[in-house]
Amino acid sequence: MPSPVETLPIPGPVGDIETDISGPAAGHTPRGIALIAHPNPLQGGAKDNKVVTTLARVFNSLGYVALRPNFRGVGASMGAHDKGIGETDDLIAVAEYASKRFGAAPLLLAGFSFGSFVQTRVTKRVSCERMVLVAPAVGRFPTETVPENTLVIHGELDDVVPLAAVLDWARPQNLPVVVVPGGEHFFHGRLHILSQIVTRWCA
C-alpha cells in the first residue's frame, strides 16, 4: 500500500522549497533517503512529472523515504530559475533537512533529464550511497562525471538527448548505460520497464 504523501515547505537558501515526502510506513525505519530531482522547469518540469513520481513509488516500495522538491520558481517554491546553480544548493538543503528528520540513513540521489544534471553537481558536495540518472541531459547542460555506484538509464530513441551523446559522456568513465529499446525521452509506455530496472538494481 502506498505511503501517504506529505507536502511541506523546507527552508532553502532563497526561501521555502515545496517538497513532497513519501514514507516511511508507520513504525518503520527507512532503508535510506531518496532525493529525486525533476526535469527542466523552463519546459514545464515539476515534482509531479510522471518519471519522477514513478521513481518515488519504486524507492518507497523498496523502503526508502522519497523526497520530491520543486526547484526554485516552480509551484510554491520561492526564488527564480538559476540554471542549475541555485538548484544544487536547494537540493543540498533538502538533503540536510531529511538527514535531520530521518536520521543518518544512506542517501540515494536520483534525477530525470535536467534533474540528473543538477544531481551530478550535488554529488560533488555530499556523499551518496547510490545514484540513479534517467535520460541525463548530457550535451544540453555541463553534466559532471559521476561515482561508479551510478545507474544510468536512457531510451534508445530519445530525441531530446541522443543516446550517442550519453555514451560519449559515459565511455571515458567506464560507466555502463542501460538502454531501453524503443524508449524515448519521457518513457511513454515504458515506465514499467523503468520501474523494473531500478527495482532490480536497488533490491
Side-chain angles (χ1 to χ4, degrees):
M1 184 175 182
S3 298
V5 178
E6 173 188 11
T7 302
L8 77 166
I10 293 175
V14 295
D16 290 340
I17 305 167
E18 182 184 27
T19 304
D20 283 355
I21 303 176
S22 305
H28 289 75
T29 300
R31 169 185 172 181
I33 296 166
L35 176 58
I36 310 163
H38 68 69
N40 195 342
L42 297 184
Q43 297 175 323
K47 63 181 175 59
D48 295 324
N49 169 272
K50 66 180 182 179
V51 173
V52 172
T53 56
T54 296
L55 290 173
R57 283 194 297 272
V58 171
F59 294 134
N60 200 218
S61 72
L62 292 169
Y64 289 84
V65 55
L67 293 93
R68 294 180 287 121
N70 264 335
F71 283 136
R72 53 182 63 187
V74 179
S77 290
M78 302 177 73
H81 181 68
D82 195 31
K83 301 178 181 179
I85 299 170
E87 288 81 357
T88 301
D89 297 333
D90 292 345
L91 288 185
I92 291 172
V94 174
E96 290 173 348
Y97 166 87
S99 179
K100 291 175 183 176
R101 176 171 171 180
F102 299 105
L107 178 65
L108 184 153
L109 300 177
F112 170 43
S113 196
F114 173 82
S116 290
F117 152 62
V118 179
Q119 292 289 33
T120 66
R121 292 173 49 85
V122 171
T123 193
K124 302 300 183 183
R125 295 169 52 186
V126 302
S127 176
C128 70
E129 179 189 50
R130 301 172 187 244
M131 175 178 277
V132 176
L133 304 181
V134 179
V138 174
R140 300 178 68 88
F141 301 97
T143 307
E144 303 273 358
T145 56
V146 295
E148 62 180 12
N149 57 345
T150 299
L151 170 66
V152 180
I153 306 170
H154 209 77
E156 176 192 17
L157 304 180
D158 192 322
D159 59 352
V160 176
V161 182
L163 175 59
V166 175
L167 294 175
D168 288 344
W169 166 76
R171 192 174 298 111
Q173 304 179 66
N174 292 316
L175 182 67
V177 177
V178 178
V179 178
V180 176
E184 44 71 80
H185 192 66
F186 293 95
F187 293 85
H188 295 305
R190 288 172 172 80
L191 289 174
H192 65 292
I193 299 175
L194 177 64
S195 297
Q196 291 167 1
I197 294 168
V198 176
T199 299
R200 285 195 296 266
W201 188 73
C202 291

